[in-house]
Amino acid sequence: MPFHPPTPPCPEAFVDRSRPLLALLAATALAVPGLTALSSAAHAADADVLQNGGFESGLSGWTCSASSGTTVNSPVHSGSSALQATPAGSDDAQCAQTVSVQPNSQYTLAGYVRGSYVYLGASGTGTTDVSTWTQSAPDWQKLSTTFTTGPSTTKVTVYTHGWYGTGAYDADDLSLTGPGGGGGTTQPPAVPAGLTASSVTSSSVALSWSAVSGATGYAVYRDGVKVQSASGTSATVTGLTASTAYSFQVTAVNDAGESAKSAAVVVTTSTGGSGGDPGGGGSAGLPAHALVGYLHSSFANGSGYTRLADVPDSWDVIDLAFAEPTSPTSGDVEFTRCPVTDCPNAESDADFKAAIKAKQAAGKKVLISIGGQNGQVQLTTTAARDAFVSSVEKIIDTYGLDGLDIDFEGHSLSLDTSDTDFKNPTTPVIVNLISALKTLKAEYGAKFMLTMAPETFFVQNGYQYYGTGKWGGQDPRCGAYLPVIYALRDDLTLLHVQDYNSGPIMGLDNQYHSMGGADFHIAMTDMLLTGFPVAGDPNNVFPPLRPDQVAIGMPASTNAGNGYVAPSEVTKTLDCLTKKTGCGSYTTHGTWPDLRGLMTWSINWDRYSNWEFQKTFDGYFG
């Protein structure tokens, strides 16, 4: 939480994937048997088993990573449409289709491409997966390769993709010629009809639709993004925001592919209760809009020591900074108040405890914050987990606190190489932290407040990068808070991501956003309230948080950290997110009048700056 230099973005390994590496990949690929083109002649019984290979039906049957693909009318190789896909960041703009095939059979994959470093390949063959590529194709160039399926292979995934940072590529007239898929269906199902919505609440919508002949399942889309799959003709979409309009569509799927999207149904969720606690996160005592701040309680710096009793009533949640571990992996946490040698005006323990009670009597919440810039906490073992729980309980009980703030920074959280699913984490430091926090929540009950203050590196950066990545070499801390937030979303009172000391982060508009203005705060908060596909995977979506669970983290002054914005930019941010006015170039995916409020580092630095941040909050929310 204290000032430190901006964290570099995750994908350093991708930046270093230069042309020599591409040449090496090419040499390796061309050394694999079966990459030479075959004659176009096919057996009499062979057929093209690929669906919509000319993209005349849009992207029907195809799935493109990170929404990277679209169809265009020019350039085309034949017909009236072609695929155009654009790599961005660590996403190579892969568009793929899974088709039914026969075991022990030979297939020829072919297609026409334009652009630099364009690939065409097949995976899941059951033998040797194949690919072919071109380094440069200023005009349409044919690519072709063959493979033989394994003895039990019945499905193969065909794909095309570009390369990182090389610009858009085009593909058209793709085909996979060989025996049909063993009597299975060869056409995607029809478009579902009769989509209706019912049982609309402030956070969920029940959907139903008519059955489609030949469909083996269905996919539900919210505002154009796939959010869940269904085996039957109904689904309930949860995690929605109160008083917000959503557009829903549904598709039918089978082994041959996916239908086009149905007609849209637009639904507006009902109004949520002000100051309520629909998720059990201990927020019942908070006002509808809350001001959260960190109070320097264990250390001194240039902002000066502020007594707890002297904190103005505007501050609704006061996080005592910080409790720190006795060692990074011990799990044993201690809270030591700033000594009078460093903080001459520090109050006595008795006065400090009396001030906590006085704040609570006035309706304020006082929490212990664990971690900070220097407090690395790594619960690598169950013994460390148990020590963490018992030591935190001791601090809470000693001071009579309302809850716990997790401010793990640095190397506290990182993901093992094999840990790739944020919904089912396996890394010990992640699993043990989740277990410890659930134990504490169960111990203290519904009124226990749990808040978190991660950096953007650990949350929003997960839109592009998660852990070490499919190629390896990424920073394992990328997105490492996501499994913790997801597992505790029903217990979480507030998430206030630190929108400061951050490098550029890609928003849902697939543009990079940098600190220093309202645009950064708007884009980062929109991601939390809309949800996003993790590492660009549309089938692995981090669901949105409720607006009453979200506060925007900002530095109180230029002294407090990089990323300070003037009061006018704070107001602009709030106007956009709560009223959808003055949003500038970024288009949000909703309007959230129930946004909980603002967080700042820190109360001390705000006092040093004549309470500018507090005055901005009071002036806006009253």
Side-chain angles (χ1 to χ4, degrees), residues 97-157:
Q97 180 180 143
T98 299
V99 298
S100 297
V101 294
Q102 291 273 20
N104 294 318
S105 300
Q106 189 177 58
Y107 290 84
T108 298
L109 174 63
Y112 292 84
V113 300
R114 295 176 77 254
S116 300
Y117 299 95
V118 188
Y119 290 71
L120 179 66
S123 61
T125 63
T127 55
T128 301
D129 291 348
V130 298
S131 69
T132 183
W133 69 294
T134 178
Q135 179 176 347
S136 178
D139 201 354
W140 292 105
Q141 177 180 332
K142 184 176 183 179
L143 298 178
S144 181
T145 184
T146 65
F147 62 88
T148 300
T149 54
S152 60
T153 302
T154 58
K155 293 182 181 180
V156 167
T157 298

Short mmCIF file of all heavy atoms in Angstrom, two decimals, residues 97-157:
data_model
loop_
_atom_site.label_atom_id
_atom_site.label_comp_id
_atom_site.label_asym_id
_atom_site.label_seq_id
_atom_site.Cartn_x
_atom_site.Cartn_y
_atom_site.Cartn_z
N GLN A 97 -12.46 -24.50 -34.60
CA GLN A 97 -13.71 -25.25 -34.75
C GLN A 97 -13.41 -26.72 -34.48
O GLN A 97 -12.41 -27.26 -34.99
CB GLN A 97 -14.28 -25.10 -36.17
CG GLN A 97 -15.57 -25.84 -36.39
CD GLN A 97 -16.12 -25.67 -37.79
OE1 GLN A 97 -16.67 -26.61 -38.36
NE2 GLN A 97 -15.99 -24.46 -38.37
N THR A 98 -14.24 -27.36 -33.69
CA THR A 98 -14.09 -28.78 -33.41
C THR A 98 -15.08 -29.56 -34.27
O THR A 98 -16.28 -29.24 -34.30
CB THR A 98 -14.35 -29.08 -31.92
OG1 THR A 98 -13.39 -28.36 -31.14
CG2 THR A 98 -14.21 -30.56 -31.63
N VAL A 99 -14.58 -30.57 -34.99
CA VAL A 99 -15.40 -31.32 -35.93
C VAL A 99 -15.31 -32.81 -35.64
O VAL A 99 -14.36 -33.29 -35.00
CB VAL A 99 -14.97 -31.05 -37.39
CG1 VAL A 99 -15.14 -29.58 -37.74
CG2 VAL A 99 -13.52 -31.47 -37.60
N SER A 100 -16.29 -33.55 -36.09
CA SER A 100 -16.31 -35.00 -35.95
C SER A 100 -15.53 -35.64 -37.09
O SER A 100 -15.64 -35.23 -38.25
CB SER A 100 -17.75 -35.52 -35.96
OG SER A 100 -18.47 -35.01 -34.87
N VAL A 101 -14.73 -36.66 -36.75
CA VAL A 101 -13.90 -37.36 -37.73
C VAL A 101 -13.99 -38.86 -37.48
O VAL A 101 -14.53 -39.32 -36.47
CB VAL A 101 -12.43 -36.90 -37.66
CG1 VAL A 101 -12.29 -35.44 -38.08
CG2 VAL A 101 -11.87 -37.11 -36.25
N GLN A 102 -13.42 -39.63 -38.39
CA GLN A 102 -13.35 -41.08 -38.27
C GLN A 102 -11.99 -41.48 -37.71
O GLN A 102 -10.97 -40.86 -38.05
CB GLN A 102 -13.52 -41.73 -39.65
CG GLN A 102 -14.91 -41.60 -40.22
CD GLN A 102 -15.82 -42.73 -39.76
OE1 GLN A 102 -15.55 -43.40 -38.76
NE2 GLN A 102 -16.91 -42.95 -40.48
N PRO A 103 -11.93 -42.50 -36.87
CA PRO A 103 -10.63 -43.00 -36.41
C PRO A 103 -9.82 -43.60 -37.56
O PRO A 103 -10.37 -44.02 -38.58
CB PRO A 103 -11.01 -44.10 -35.39
CG PRO A 103 -12.45 -43.83 -35.04
CD PRO A 103 -13.06 -43.22 -36.26
N ASN A 104 -8.50 -43.61 -37.38
CA ASN A 104 -7.58 -44.25 -38.34
C ASN A 104 -7.82 -43.79 -39.78
O ASN A 104 -7.82 -44.59 -40.71
CB ASN A 104 -7.71 -45.78 -38.26
CG ASN A 104 -7.23 -46.32 -36.93
OD1 ASN A 104 -6.20 -45.87 -36.39
ND2 ASN A 104 -7.97 -47.27 -36.37
N SER A 105 -8.03 -42.49 -39.94
CA SER A 105 -8.34 -41.96 -41.27
C SER A 105 -7.45 -40.77 -41.58
O SER A 105 -7.02 -40.03 -40.69
CB SER A 105 -9.82 -41.53 -41.36
OG SER A 105 -10.68 -42.62 -41.10
N GLN A 106 -7.18 -40.59 -42.87
CA GLN A 106 -6.33 -39.48 -43.31
C GLN A 106 -7.19 -38.28 -43.71
O GLN A 106 -8.23 -38.44 -44.38
CB GLN A 106 -5.45 -39.90 -44.48
CG GLN A 106 -4.40 -38.84 -44.84
CD GLN A 106 -3.49 -39.29 -45.96
OE1 GLN A 106 -3.95 -39.59 -47.05
NE2 GLN A 106 -2.18 -39.34 -45.69
N TYR A 107 -6.75 -37.09 -43.29
CA TYR A 107 -7.46 -35.85 -43.60
C TYR A 107 -6.48 -34.82 -44.15
O TYR A 107 -5.29 -34.79 -43.76
CB TYR A 107 -8.14 -35.28 -42.35
CG TYR A 107 -9.31 -36.10 -41.89
CD1 TYR A 107 -9.12 -37.22 -41.08
CD2 TYR A 107 -10.61 -35.78 -42.29
CE1 TYR A 107 -10.20 -37.99 -40.67
CE2 TYR A 107 -11.69 -36.55 -41.89
CZ TYR A 107 -11.48 -37.66 -41.08
OH TYR A 107 -12.54 -38.42 -40.69
N THR A 108 -6.98 -33.99 -45.03
CA THR A 108 -6.20 -32.88 -45.59
C THR A 108 -6.83 -31.57 -45.14
O THR A 108 -8.02 -31.33 -45.38
CB THR A 108 -6.17 -32.94 -47.12
OG1 THR A 108 -5.54 -34.15 -47.54
CG2 THR A 108 -5.39 -31.74 -47.68
N LEU A 109 -6.03 -30.76 -44.48
CA LEU A 109 -6.47 -29.45 -44.02
C LEU A 109 -5.88 -28.40 -44.94
O LEU A 109 -4.65 -28.39 -45.16
CB LEU A 109 -6.02 -29.21 -42.58
CG LEU A 109 -6.28 -27.82 -41.99
CD1 LEU A 109 -7.77 -27.52 -41.92
CD2 LEU A 109 -5.63 -27.70 -40.60
N ALA A 110 -6.70 -27.52 -45.48
CA ALA A 110 -6.22 -26.51 -46.41
C ALA A 110 -6.99 -25.22 -46.21
O ALA A 110 -8.10 -25.21 -45.65
CB ALA A 110 -6.34 -27.00 -47.85
N GLY A 111 -6.41 -24.13 -46.67
CA GLY A 111 -7.07 -22.84 -46.60
C GLY A 111 -6.20 -21.74 -47.16
O GLY A 111 -5.00 -21.95 -47.44
N TYR A 112 -6.79 -20.57 -47.31
CA TYR A 112 -6.09 -19.41 -47.86
C TYR A 112 -5.96 -18.34 -46.78
O TYR A 112 -6.93 -18.05 -46.06
CB TYR A 112 -6.83 -18.85 -49.07
CG TYR A 112 -6.79 -19.78 -50.25
CD1 TYR A 112 -7.71 -20.82 -50.36
CD2 TYR A 112 -5.82 -19.65 -51.24
CE1 TYR A 112 -7.68 -21.70 -51.44
CE2 TYR A 112 -5.78 -20.52 -52.32
CZ TYR A 112 -6.71 -21.54 -52.41
OH TYR A 112 -6.65 -22.41 -53.47
N VAL A 113 -4.76 -17.73 -46.70
CA VAL A 113 -4.50 -16.74 -45.65
C VAL A 113 -3.77 -15.54 -46.23
O VAL A 113 -3.14 -15.62 -47.29
CB VAL A 113 -3.66 -17.35 -44.51
CG1 VAL A 113 -4.38 -18.51 -43.87
CG2 VAL A 113 -2.27 -17.76 -45.00
N ARG A 114 -3.88 -14.42 -45.51
CA ARG A 114 -3.14 -13.19 -45.80
C ARG A 114 -2.57 -12.65 -44.50
O ARG A 114 -3.21 -12.75 -43.45
CB ARG A 114 -4.03 -12.12 -46.43
CG ARG A 114 -4.58 -12.45 -47.78
CD ARG A 114 -5.54 -11.37 -48.28
NE ARG A 114 -4.87 -10.18 -48.78
CZ ARG A 114 -4.80 -9.02 -48.15
NH1 ARG A 114 -5.36 -8.89 -46.95
NH2 ARG A 114 -4.17 -7.98 -48.69
N GLY A 115 -1.39 -12.04 -44.55
CA GLY A 115 -0.81 -11.43 -43.36
C GLY A 115 0.54 -12.01 -43.03
O GLY A 115 1.11 -12.81 -43.79
N SER A 116 1.06 -11.62 -41.88
CA SER A 116 2.38 -12.07 -41.43
C SER A 116 2.24 -13.10 -40.33
O SER A 116 1.46 -12.92 -39.40
CB SER A 116 3.21 -10.88 -40.92
OG SER A 116 3.40 -9.92 -41.94
N TYR A 117 3.02 -14.16 -40.45
CA TYR A 117 3.06 -15.22 -39.44
C TYR A 117 1.66 -15.74 -39.14
O TYR A 117 1.15 -15.65 -38.02
CB TYR A 117 3.76 -14.73 -38.17
CG TYR A 117 5.20 -14.34 -38.42
CD1 TYR A 117 5.53 -13.01 -38.67
CD2 TYR A 117 6.19 -15.30 -38.45
CE1 TYR A 117 6.84 -12.65 -38.95
CE2 TYR A 117 7.51 -14.93 -38.72
CZ TYR A 117 7.83 -13.61 -38.97
OH TYR A 117 9.13 -13.26 -39.24
N VAL A 118 1.04 -16.30 -40.17
CA VAL A 118 -0.30 -16.87 -40.05
C VAL A 118 -0.18 -18.39 -40.03
O VAL A 118 0.54 -18.98 -40.85
CB VAL A 118 -1.20 -16.43 -41.21
CG1 VAL A 118 -2.64 -16.87 -40.94
CG2 VAL A 118 -1.14 -14.92 -41.41
N TYR A 119 -0.89 -19.01 -39.11
CA TYR A 119 -0.80 -20.46 -38.89
C TYR A 119 -2.13 -21.13 -39.21
O TYR A 119 -3.21 -20.57 -38.99
CB TYR A 119 -0.44 -20.76 -37.44
CG TYR A 119 0.97 -20.37 -37.05
CD1 TYR A 119 1.33 -19.03 -36.93
CD2 TYR A 119 1.94 -21.34 -36.82
CE1 TYR A 119 2.62 -18.67 -36.59
CE2 TYR A 119 3.23 -21.00 -36.47
CZ TYR A 119 3.57 -19.66 -36.36
OH TYR A 119 4.85 -19.30 -36.01
N LEU A 120 -2.03 -22.38 -39.68
CA LEU A 120 -3.19 -23.24 -39.88
C LEU A 120 -2.82 -24.61 -39.35
O LEU A 120 -1.76 -25.15 -39.68
CB LEU A 120 -3.54 -23.32 -41.38
CG LEU A 120 -4.75 -24.21 -41.75
CD1 LEU A 120 -6.04 -23.63 -41.19
CD2 LEU A 120 -4.83 -24.35 -43.28
N GLY A 121 -3.67 -25.18 -38.48
CA GLY A 121 -3.29 -26.45 -37.88
C GLY A 121 -4.47 -27.21 -37.33
O GLY A 121 -5.62 -26.77 -37.38
N ALA A 122 -4.14 -28.40 -36.78
CA ALA A 122 -5.15 -29.27 -36.19
C ALA A 122 -4.58 -29.89 -34.92
O ALA A 122 -3.41 -30.28 -34.89
CB ALA A 122 -5.57 -30.36 -37.17
N SER A 123 -5.39 -29.97 -33.88
CA SER A 123 -4.97 -30.58 -32.62
C SER A 123 -5.99 -31.64 -32.20
O SER A 123 -7.12 -31.65 -32.68
CB SER A 123 -4.85 -29.52 -31.52
OG SER A 123 -6.09 -28.88 -31.29
N GLY A 124 -5.56 -32.51 -31.29
CA GLY A 124 -6.42 -33.59 -30.84
C GLY A 124 -6.54 -34.71 -31.85
O GLY A 124 -7.52 -35.47 -31.83
N THR A 125 -5.54 -34.85 -32.73
CA THR A 125 -5.61 -35.84 -33.80
C THR A 125 -5.46 -37.27 -33.29
O THR A 125 -5.84 -38.21 -33.97
CB THR A 125 -4.52 -35.58 -34.85
OG1 THR A 125 -3.23 -35.73 -34.23
CG2 THR A 125 -4.65 -34.17 -35.43
N GLY A 126 -4.88 -37.44 -32.11
CA GLY A 126 -4.63 -38.78 -31.59
C GLY A 126 -3.33 -39.37 -32.08
O GLY A 126 -2.92 -40.45 -31.64
N THR A 127 -2.67 -38.65 -33.01
CA THR A 127 -1.33 -39.06 -33.47
C THR A 127 -0.41 -37.86 -33.30
O THR A 127 -0.17 -37.43 -32.19
CB THR A 127 -1.38 -39.55 -34.93
OG1 THR A 127 -1.98 -38.53 -35.75
CG2 THR A 127 -2.21 -40.83 -35.04
N THR A 128 0.07 -37.32 -34.38
CA THR A 128 0.91 -36.12 -34.33
C THR A 128 0.10 -34.91 -34.77
O THR A 128 -0.36 -34.85 -35.92
CB THR A 128 2.15 -36.27 -35.25
OG1 THR A 128 2.90 -37.40 -34.83
CG2 THR A 128 3.01 -35.02 -35.17
N ASP A 129 -0.12 -33.96 -33.84
CA ASP A 129 -0.80 -32.73 -34.21
C ASP A 129 0.05 -31.96 -35.22
O ASP A 129 1.29 -31.95 -35.12
CB ASP A 129 -1.07 -31.87 -32.98
CG ASP A 129 -2.11 -32.50 -32.06
OD1 ASP A 129 -2.78 -33.46 -32.48
OD2 ASP A 129 -2.23 -32.03 -30.91
N VAL A 130 -0.60 -31.30 -36.15
CA VAL A 130 0.12 -30.67 -37.26
C VAL A 130 -0.23 -29.19 -37.36
O VAL A 130 -1.28 -28.74 -36.91
CB VAL A 130 -0.20 -31.37 -38.60
CG1 VAL A 130 0.24 -32.82 -38.56
CG2 VAL A 130 -1.70 -31.27 -38.91
N SER A 131 0.69 -28.45 -37.97
CA SER A 131 0.42 -27.07 -38.32
C SER A 131 1.34 -26.66 -39.44
O SER A 131 2.41 -27.25 -39.64
CB SER A 131 0.61 -26.13 -37.12
OG SER A 131 1.97 -26.04 -36.77
N THR A 132 0.91 -25.68 -40.20
CA THR A 132 1.73 -25.09 -41.23
C THR A 132 1.56 -23.59 -41.15
O THR A 132 0.57 -23.11 -40.57
CB THR A 132 1.36 -25.63 -42.62
OG1 THR A 132 2.23 -25.08 -43.61
CG2 THR A 132 -0.09 -25.30 -42.97
N TRP A 133 2.47 -22.81 -41.72
CA TRP A 133 2.41 -21.37 -41.54
C TRP A 133 3.13 -20.65 -42.66
O TRP A 133 3.86 -21.26 -43.46
CB TRP A 133 3.04 -20.98 -40.21
CG TRP A 133 4.54 -21.18 -40.14
CD1 TRP A 133 5.21 -22.38 -40.19
CD2 TRP A 133 5.54 -20.18 -40.06
NE1 TRP A 133 6.56 -22.18 -40.12
CE2 TRP A 133 6.80 -20.83 -40.03
CE3 TRP A 133 5.51 -18.79 -40.00
CZ2 TRP A 133 8.01 -20.14 -39.96
CZ3 TRP A 133 6.71 -18.09 -39.91
CH2 TRP A 133 7.95 -18.77 -39.89
N THR A 134 2.88 -19.37 -42.76
CA THR A 134 3.58 -18.52 -43.70
C THR A 134 4.16 -17.33 -42.96
O THR A 134 3.51 -16.76 -42.07
CB THR A 134 2.67 -18.05 -44.83
OG1 THR A 134 3.41 -17.18 -45.70
CG2 THR A 134 1.47 -17.27 -44.30
N GLN A 135 5.38 -16.96 -43.30
CA GLN A 135 6.00 -15.80 -42.67
C GLN A 135 5.42 -14.50 -43.19
O GLN A 135 5.22 -13.56 -42.43
CB GLN A 135 7.51 -15.83 -42.91
CG GLN A 135 8.25 -14.64 -42.30
CD GLN A 135 9.74 -14.73 -42.46
OE1 GLN A 135 10.26 -15.78 -42.83
NE2 GLN A 135 10.44 -13.65 -42.19
N SER A 136 5.11 -14.48 -44.48
CA SER A 136 4.58 -13.24 -45.06
C SER A 136 3.73 -13.58 -46.26
O SER A 136 4.19 -14.26 -47.19
CB SER A 136 5.72 -12.30 -45.46
OG SER A 136 5.21 -11.12 -46.07
N ALA A 137 2.49 -13.13 -46.24
CA ALA A 137 1.57 -13.35 -47.37
C ALA A 137 0.85 -12.05 -47.66
O ALA A 137 -0.25 -11.80 -47.16
CB ALA A 137 0.58 -14.46 -47.04
N PRO A 138 1.45 -11.17 -48.45
CA PRO A 138 0.80 -9.89 -48.77
C PRO A 138 -0.49 -10.07 -49.57
O PRO A 138 -1.35 -9.20 -49.58
CB PRO A 138 1.86 -9.13 -49.57
CG PRO A 138 2.78 -10.20 -50.09
CD PRO A 138 2.78 -11.29 -49.06
N ASP A 139 -0.61 -11.22 -50.26
CA ASP A 139 -1.85 -11.56 -50.95
C ASP A 139 -2.22 -12.98 -50.53
O ASP A 139 -1.49 -13.65 -49.81
CB ASP A 139 -1.67 -11.46 -52.46
CG ASP A 139 -3.00 -11.29 -53.18
OD1 ASP A 139 -4.05 -11.36 -52.51
OD2 ASP A 139 -2.98 -11.12 -54.41
N TRP A 140 -3.36 -13.45 -50.97
CA TRP A 140 -3.84 -14.75 -50.53
C TRP A 140 -2.84 -15.85 -50.87
O TRP A 140 -2.37 -15.95 -52.00
CB TRP A 140 -5.19 -15.07 -51.18
CG TRP A 140 -6.29 -14.18 -50.68
CD1 TRP A 140 -6.87 -13.14 -51.34
CD2 TRP A 140 -6.93 -14.26 -49.41
NE1 TRP A 140 -7.84 -12.55 -50.57
CE2 TRP A 140 -7.89 -13.22 -49.37
CE3 TRP A 140 -6.78 -15.08 -48.30
CZ2 TRP A 140 -8.71 -13.00 -48.27
CZ3 TRP A 140 -7.60 -14.87 -47.21
CH2 TRP A 140 -8.54 -13.86 -47.19
N GLN A 141 -2.53 -16.68 -49.90
CA GLN A 141 -1.60 -17.79 -50.07
C GLN A 141 -2.24 -19.05 -49.51
O GLN A 141 -2.80 -19.04 -48.42
CB GLN A 141 -0.27 -17.51 -49.35
CG GLN A 141 0.73 -18.65 -49.42
CD GLN A 141 2.02 -18.32 -48.68
OE1 GLN A 141 2.39 -17.15 -48.57
NE2 GLN A 141 2.70 -19.34 -48.21
N LYS A 142 -2.14 -20.15 -50.26
CA LYS A 142 -2.73 -21.40 -49.80
C LYS A 142 -1.78 -22.13 -48.84
O LYS A 142 -0.58 -22.24 -49.11
CB LYS A 142 -3.05 -22.32 -50.98
CG LYS A 142 -3.77 -23.60 -50.56
CD LYS A 142 -4.16 -24.45 -51.76
CE LYS A 142 -4.94 -25.69 -51.32
NZ LYS A 142 -5.36 -26.52 -52.47
N LEU A 143 -2.34 -22.60 -47.72
CA LEU A 143 -1.62 -23.45 -46.78
C LEU A 143 -2.30 -24.81 -46.77
O LEU A 143 -3.53 -24.90 -46.88
CB LEU A 143 -1.63 -22.86 -45.37
CG LEU A 143 -0.96 -21.50 -45.17
CD1 LEU A 143 -1.11 -21.05 -43.71
CD2 LEU A 143 0.51 -21.56 -45.56
N SER A 144 -1.51 -25.87 -46.64
CA SER A 144 -2.09 -27.21 -46.63
C SER A 144 -1.21 -28.15 -45.83
O SER A 144 0.02 -28.04 -45.83
CB SER A 144 -2.22 -27.73 -48.07
OG SER A 144 -2.79 -29.02 -48.09
N THR A 145 -1.84 -29.07 -45.12
CA THR A 145 -1.13 -30.09 -44.36
C THR A 145 -2.05 -31.30 -44.20
O THR A 145 -3.26 -31.21 -44.44
CB THR A 145 -0.69 -29.56 -42.98
OG1 THR A 145 0.08 -30.55 -42.31
CG2 THR A 145 -1.89 -29.18 -42.11
N THR A 146 -1.49 -32.44 -43.82
CA THR A 146 -2.28 -33.65 -43.66
C THR A 146 -1.99 -34.30 -42.32
O THR A 146 -0.95 -34.04 -41.70
CB THR A 146 -1.99 -34.67 -44.77
OG1 THR A 146 -0.63 -35.10 -44.65
CG2 THR A 146 -2.24 -34.06 -46.14
N PHE A 147 -2.91 -35.12 -41.88
CA PHE A 147 -2.69 -35.90 -40.66
C PHE A 147 -3.55 -37.16 -40.72
O PHE A 147 -4.51 -37.24 -41.51
CB PHE A 147 -3.04 -35.08 -39.41
CG PHE A 147 -4.47 -34.64 -39.32
CD1 PHE A 147 -5.44 -35.44 -38.74
CD2 PHE A 147 -4.86 -33.40 -39.83
CE1 PHE A 147 -6.77 -35.03 -38.66
CE2 PHE A 147 -6.17 -32.98 -39.75
CZ PHE A 147 -7.14 -33.79 -39.17
N THR A 148 -3.19 -38.12 -39.91
CA THR A 148 -3.97 -39.34 -39.75
C THR A 148 -4.47 -39.42 -38.33
O THR A 148 -3.70 -39.23 -37.37
CB THR A 148 -3.13 -40.58 -40.08
OG1 THR A 148 -2.67 -40.49 -41.44
CG2 THR A 148 -3.94 -41.86 -39.90
N THR A 149 -5.74 -39.68 -38.15
CA THR A 149 -6.32 -39.73 -36.82
C THR A 149 -5.91 -41.02 -36.09
O THR A 149 -5.57 -42.03 -36.72
CB THR A 149 -7.85 -39.65 -36.88
OG1 THR A 149 -8.33 -40.68 -37.76
CG2 THR A 149 -8.30 -38.31 -37.39
N GLY A 150 -5.96 -40.98 -34.77
CA GLY A 150 -5.63 -42.13 -33.96
C GLY A 150 -6.75 -43.16 -33.94
O GLY A 150 -7.86 -42.91 -34.44
N PRO A 151 -6.49 -44.32 -33.34
CA PRO A 151 -7.48 -45.41 -33.36
C PRO A 151 -8.77 -45.12 -32.60
O PRO A 151 -9.78 -45.78 -32.85
CB PRO A 151 -6.72 -46.59 -32.73
CG PRO A 151 -5.63 -45.94 -31.93
CD PRO A 151 -5.24 -44.71 -32.68
N SER A 152 -8.75 -44.15 -31.70
CA SER A 152 -9.97 -43.83 -30.95
C SER A 152 -10.40 -42.38 -31.13
O SER A 152 -11.26 -41.89 -30.41
CB SER A 152 -9.76 -44.13 -29.46
OG SER A 152 -8.68 -43.36 -28.94
N THR A 153 -9.82 -41.69 -32.09
CA THR A 153 -10.12 -40.27 -32.29
C THR A 153 -11.42 -40.10 -33.05
O THR A 153 -11.60 -40.66 -34.14
CB THR A 153 -8.98 -39.58 -33.07
OG1 THR A 153 -7.76 -39.73 -32.34
CG2 THR A 153 -9.28 -38.10 -33.26
N THR A 154 -12.34 -39.32 -32.47
CA THR A 154 -13.61 -39.02 -33.14
C THR A 154 -13.85 -37.53 -33.31
O THR A 154 -14.80 -37.12 -33.97
CB THR A 154 -14.80 -39.61 -32.36
OG1 THR A 154 -14.79 -39.08 -31.02
CG2 THR A 154 -14.70 -41.14 -32.30
N LYS A 155 -12.98 -36.71 -32.70
CA LYS A 155 -13.10 -35.26 -32.84
C LYS A 155 -11.71 -34.64 -32.99
O LYS A 155 -10.75 -35.09 -32.35
CB LYS A 155 -13.79 -34.64 -31.62
CG LYS A 155 -15.25 -35.02 -31.48
CD LYS A 155 -15.88 -34.32 -30.27
CE LYS A 155 -17.34 -34.71 -30.12
NZ LYS A 155 -17.96 -34.03 -28.94
N VAL A 156 -11.63 -33.61 -33.80
CA VAL A 156 -10.39 -32.88 -34.03
C VAL A 156 -10.70 -31.39 -34.01
O VAL A 156 -11.77 -30.98 -34.48
CB VAL A 156 -9.75 -33.28 -35.37
CG1 VAL A 156 -8.64 -32.32 -35.76
CG2 VAL A 156 -9.21 -34.70 -35.31
N THR A 157 -9.80 -30.60 -33.48
CA THR A 157 -9.97 -29.15 -33.49
C THR A 157 -9.08 -28.54 -34.56
O THR A 157 -7.86 -28.73 -34.55
CB THR A 157 -9.64 -28.54 -32.13
OG1 THR A 157 -10.54 -29.05 -31.14
CG2 THR A 157 -9.76 -27.01 -32.17
#
